[in-house]
């Protein structure tokens, strides 16, 4: 194993060694490691994408951990470029303010705050806010834009520093980061230290139920070391001085879990949603290794279907491009073998990705104006969770005779 990647031998939640390999995807470079023209000849290291099931607590996870500084220090994803996410965060902040009766004196801390999109809504409601994010350029930019952000990884040590300087938090939020960290025990230790006695920790993560039911295998990449379900999380919090009090389904990233926790013995009662979610997971068999081995066959069927379609279109002389360069596109393109022989270029609205090349296959990433300049016949929507707004925004492409291909959860031509 390289120095950039370690292989752990214990479950991230319960520390058991009773682990079983249930799904192997094609090894890839880090999913967001888009490269410059100057680096096209350099060797890109690929890391295993093997998914393991803990036979003791039921947690599903990657055991190969890529050095977080490689993954996150020069991060190129920002929430603010997506109107869908801006709206999601606006509603999210309003819900939390109402549910937990947060007043102007409240202090809100966000772990993995990215460009400060969510925190801005709390700040506009008059609250004190602090962001923590290891992506240095993004953290600096957020601070310049009025959302104080520490360029760091959240640890229990950092939590003590924040507590000494700013006091304890009424609300700690972490969106799509509680699945990204290898040492969840230390993060929870930090959360425990930083929360006020009545405080609440709220986080959103991709939900294992959705990954399984909708075959969202492309949400499996090195940044996501955990694929969370409620039962293992409830047990994990219990052993770490927290209590899970509520769960919700949210539709971001093809299906996510929003979970809320408090300090053990806190003021909130566990809502019925926690037990309801666990029952559904058990009905689906997510507490059994064999369930995930069956997922492999579903993924292969999807790959064969998409491959056959693209091959047919190419044999008819059709030109194909792709829309969206999210991290999940790396897993999908490599596991399905969709490279430059199929796709001429990738369109993405983020200026941070334009002018770069995709990991491994080196397909150029360009602005959306190129759709109309180069006129492909088909656009594969790699950012399939935004298929509807993308197709609505580019209705002109369809009116001009173009077609969209949605690859996941089922292959569709629109």
């Amino acid at each position: 194993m390289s120095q950039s990647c370690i292989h752990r031998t214990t479950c991230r939640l319960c520390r058991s060694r009773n682990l079983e390999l249930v799904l192997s995807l094609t090894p890839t470079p880090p999913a967001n490691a888009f490269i410059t023209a100057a680096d096209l000849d350099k060797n890109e290291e690929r890391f295993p994408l093997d998914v393991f099931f803990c036979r003791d607590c039921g947690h599903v996870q990657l055991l190969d951990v890529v050095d977080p500084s490689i993954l996150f220090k020069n991060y190129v994803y920002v929430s603010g470029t997506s109107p869908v996410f801006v709206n999601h965060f606006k509603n999210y902040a309003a819900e939390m303010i109402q549910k937990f009766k947060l007043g102007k004196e409240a202090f809100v801390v966000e772990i993995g705050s990215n460009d400060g999109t969510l925190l801005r809504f709390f700040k506009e409601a008059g609250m004190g806010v602090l962001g923590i994010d290891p992506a240095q350029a993004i953290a600096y930019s957020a601070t310049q834009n009025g959302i104080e952000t520490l360029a760091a990884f959240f640890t229990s040590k950092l939590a003590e520093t924040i507590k000494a300087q700013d006091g304890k938090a009424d609300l700690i939020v972490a969106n799509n980061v509680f699945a990204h960290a290898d040492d969840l025990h230390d993060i929870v230790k930090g959360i425990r230290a930083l929360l006020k006695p009545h405080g609440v920790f709220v986080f959103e993560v991709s939900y294992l139920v959705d990954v399984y039911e909708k075959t969202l295998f492309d949400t499996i990449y090195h940044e996501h070391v955990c694929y969370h379900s409620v039962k293992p999380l409830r047990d994990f919090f219990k052993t770490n001085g927290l209590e899970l009090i509520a769960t919700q389904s949210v539709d971001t990233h093809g299906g996510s879990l929003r979970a809320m926790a408090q300090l053990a013995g806190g003021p909130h009662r566990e809502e019925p949603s926690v037990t309801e979610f666990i029952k559904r997971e058990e009905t689906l068999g997510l507490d059994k290794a064999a369930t995930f081995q069956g997922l492999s066959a579903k993924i292969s069927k999807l790959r064969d279907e998409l491959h056959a379609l693209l091959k047919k279109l190419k044999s008819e002389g059709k030109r194909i491009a792709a829309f969206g360069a999210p991290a999940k596109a790396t897993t999908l393109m490599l596991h399905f073998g969709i490279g430059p022989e199929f796709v001429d270029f990738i369109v993405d609205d983020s200026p941070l990705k334009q002018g770069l090349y995709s990991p491994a296959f080196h397909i150029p990433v360009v602005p959306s104006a190129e759709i109309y300049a180069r006129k492909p016949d088909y656009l594969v929507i790699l950012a399939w969770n935004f298929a509807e707004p993308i197709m609505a925004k580019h209705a002109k492409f369809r009116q001009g005779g173009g077609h969209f291909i949605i690859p996941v959860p089922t292959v569709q031509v629109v």
Side-chain angles (χ1 to χ4, degrees):
M1 188 58 68
S2 87
Q3 290 178 322
S4 314
C5 185
I6 58 158
H7 182 82
R8 64 178 294 146
T9 54
T10 58
C11 171
R12 206 165 265 110
L13 294 190
C14 75
R15 296 180 165 141
S16 160
R17 291 181 181 273
N18 194 7
L19 299 158
E20 184 176 342
L21 176 65
V22 289
L23 178 65
S24 272
L25 298 175
T26 304
T28 71
N32 267 312
F34 289 79
I35 58 173
T36 62
D39 289 338
L40 285 173
D41 294 334
K42 287 188 182 166
N43 180 41
E44 286 168 272
E45 204 171 351
R46 298 188 188 196
F47 305 104
L49 265 186
D50 293 334
V51 181
F52 289 81
F53 175 82
C54 174
R55 290 201 202 96
D56 288 343
C57 78
H59 182 49
V60 174
Q61 60 209 298
L62 301 183
L63 296 181
D64 295 291
V65 185
V66 178
D67 180 346
S69 64
I70 292 173
L71 297 179
F72 301 113
K73 282 232 164 120
N74 301 306
Y75 210 44
V76 289
Y77 170 80
V78 285
S79 317
T81 56
S82 162
V84 174
F85 267 110
V86 174
N87 196 45
H88 169 69
F89 285 140
K90 183 183 181 181
N91 296 334
Y92 184 166
E95 254 184 79
M96 294 304 104
I97 289 168
Q98 190 184 358
K99 187 175 177 77
F100 298 113
K101 299 178 175 57
L102 299 172
K104 285 192 184 336
E105 72 296 333
F107 177 41
V108 181
V109 173
E110 184 175 9
I111 301 167
S113 53
N114 197 256
D115 60 1
T117 300
L118 174 61
L119 284 180
R120 188 168 302 283
F121 293 113
F122 289 106
K123 189 175 181 179
E124 284 169 2
M127 298 171 196
V129 301
L130 177 68
I132 300 144
D133 200 287
Q136 293 174 331
I138 294 173
Y140 175 77
S141 170
T143 301
Q144 295 299 102
N145 291 323
I147 303 297
E148 189 194 340
T149 306
L150 304 176
F153 287 100
F154 181 80
T155 60
S156 57
K157 193 177 171 192
L158 182 63
E160 293 295 344
T161 306
I162 295 167
K163 185 170 75 175
Q165 287 174 359
D166 302 294
K168 290 189 174 189
D170 299 86
L171 179 70
I172 299 176
V173 285
N175 300 302
N176 304 304
V177 294
F178 206 63
H180 291 57
D182 186 39
D183 192 351
L184 292 180
H185 288 265
D186 186 66
I187 286 177
V188 167
K189 185 182 173 187
I191 289 163
R192 217 170 50 226
L194 196 52
L195 269 184
K196 286 181 181 171
H198 66 268
V200 179
F201 169 52
V202 182
F203 63 98
E204 283 185 5
V205 283
S206 170
Y207 188 27
L208 187 61
V209 164
D210 295 289
V211 173
Y212 174 70
E213 283 194 317
K214 302 174 192 169
T215 322
L216 308 184
F217 76 96
D218 56 344
T219 59
I220 298 169
Y221 46 88
H222 299 106
E223 288 168 21
H224 293 165
V225 289
C226 296
Y227 301 90
H228 286 299
S229 52
V230 176
K231 189 173 186 297
L233 277 170
R234 186 175 66 173
D235 297 343
F236 168 70
F237 283 130
K238 207 179 238 175
T239 57
N240 282 277
L242 292 177
E243 294 169 341
L244 205 54
I245 53 169
T247 50
Q248 266 175 270
S249 286
V250 287
D251 57 10
T252 54
H253 298 291
S256 294
L257 167 72
R258 181 185 292 167
M260 298 159 224
Q262 65 179 2
L263 296 172
H268 304 281
R269 284 195 172 165
E270 184 186 292
E271 293 177 16
S273 58
V274 177
T275 313
E276 286 160 14
F277 274 56
I278 290 171
K279 275 186 185 153
R280 187 176 170 211
E281 291 164 9
E282 287 170 346
T283 304
L284 287 170
L286 298 189
D287 51 351
K288 296 178 182 69
T291 303
F292 300 99
Q293 286 154 347
L295 183 61
S296 188
K298 284 166 74 179
I299 295 167
S300 298
K301 185 173 175 285
L302 206 56
R303 177 179 58 200
D304 296 346
E305 214 177 309
L306 186 60
H307 231 264
L309 172 65
L310 297 181
K311 240 177 171 169
K312 178 178 171 286
L313 294 175
K314 273 294 182 188
S315 71
E316 292 167 0
K318 303 295 185 193
R319 286 162 306 161
I320 304 168
F323 200 113
K328 57 172 151 294
T330 301
T331 299
L332 188 140
M333 294 180 91
L334 269 91
H335 193 63
F336 280 9
I338 297 166
E341 70 278 17
F342 290 120
V343 174
D344 299 339
F345 58 92
I346 301 170
V347 170
D348 198 273
D349 289 331
S350 169
L352 291 175
K353 289 184 178 176
Q354 292 163 6
L356 299 177
Y357 293 80
S358 70
F361 285 141
H362 302 166
I363 299 168
V365 182
V366 298
S368 58
E370 290 297 307
I371 299 170
Y372 305 100
R374 294 163 72 169
K375 299 185 169 61
D377 301 295
Y378 287 80
L379 275 176
V380 181
I381 303 182
L382 298 172
W384 46 259
N385 48 320
F386 297 129
E388 290 303 326
I390 287 168
M391 292 191 294
K393 191 175 175 183
H394 294 282
K396 192 175 144 194
F397 167 70
R398 212 155 79 193
Q399 287 153 9
H403 297 79
F404 292 103
I405 298 170
I406 304 169
V408 176
T410 54
V411 178
Q412 295 174 61
V413 180
V414 183

